[in-house]
Amino acid sequence: MSSIHDYEIDVYTVDFKKKTIVFDVSYNQEKKQIIFYGVFCYRFYEEMPYSIIFDLEERPIESFFTENEELLEKAQSYAWPIMYDSLQELKAEIKDADLHYQVLTSSYGLNGWILAERVEIVTVK
């Protein structure tokens, strides 16, 4: 279980130019930020106020492809997350970029995943 279990998501921001996603989260009086650097792509579901984090789990990169195969096949014609001719080409690009597959689960509200170079959880004072 991560150090953000039961934290409420107060706000999150996506900075496309800096390739970052920052979640401001809180639990009672404690505040933290979850910062994703070098974001390649992401997908969030069930976005709603008062979302409560259950866990942030890093899964093997191969799981990204098996868990999102249908999405990747559909999105290929829209050049998402990048232009690619085959899933094999996309897999090679992602593996070469040394990206990490982070899955965010909530006990209430927002769920999703992020492919990024790294993630950091910091305490905000």
Side-chain angles (χ1 to χ4, degrees):
M1 196 66 59
S2 68
S3 63
I4 51 172
H5 176 71
D6 282 342
Y7 275 67
E8 180 181 333
I9 299 171
D10 298 323
V11 65
Y12 75 89
T13 56
V14 178
D15 188 323
F16 292 108
K17 291 189 185 224
K18 292 181 182 177
K19 296 184 178 180
T20 60
I21 297 176
V22 178
F23 283 85
D24 291 330
V25 298
S26 61
Y27 180 77
N28 295 327
Q29 299 301 316
E30 291 186 42
K31 295 188 180 295
K32 294 186 179 185
Q33 284 189 323
I34 310 164
I35 308 166
F36 297 89
Y37 298 96
V39 173
F40 182 74
C41 62
Y42 65 95
R43 187 70 89 190
F44 298 137
Y45 310 90
E46 292 90 32
E47 297 172 86
M48 59 190 295
Y50 313 110
S51 295
I52 304 296
I53 296 173
F54 179 73
D55 199 12
L56 178 64
E57 170 192 11
E58 182 169 349
R59 294 186 186 166
I61 198 67
E62 282 302 322
S63 296
F64 169 74
F65 299 109
T66 57
E67 293 171 12
N68 295 287
E69 185 175 9
E70 185 178 330
L71 170 65
L72 295 170
E73 287 173 353
K74 287 181 183 177
Q76 181 178 359
S77 61
Y78 301 104
W80 183 91
I82 60 172
M83 291 184 69
Y84 57 97
D85 293 322
S86 69
L87 284 179
Q88 291 303 331
E89 180 184 346
L90 179 62
K91 286 180 184 182
E93 288 283 334
I94 288 173
K95 287 179 181 178
D96 288 347
D98 194 29
L99 298 171
H100 299 270
Y101 179 40
Q102 302 287 339
V103 177
L104 180 68
T105 53
S106 294
S107 49
Y108 177 81
L110 186 141
N111 291 283
W113 54 260
I114 300 100
L115 270 187
E117 293 172 0
R118 68 185 178 94
V119 62
E120 181 179 26
I121 300 173
V122 295
T123 300
V124 177
K125 296 186 181 197

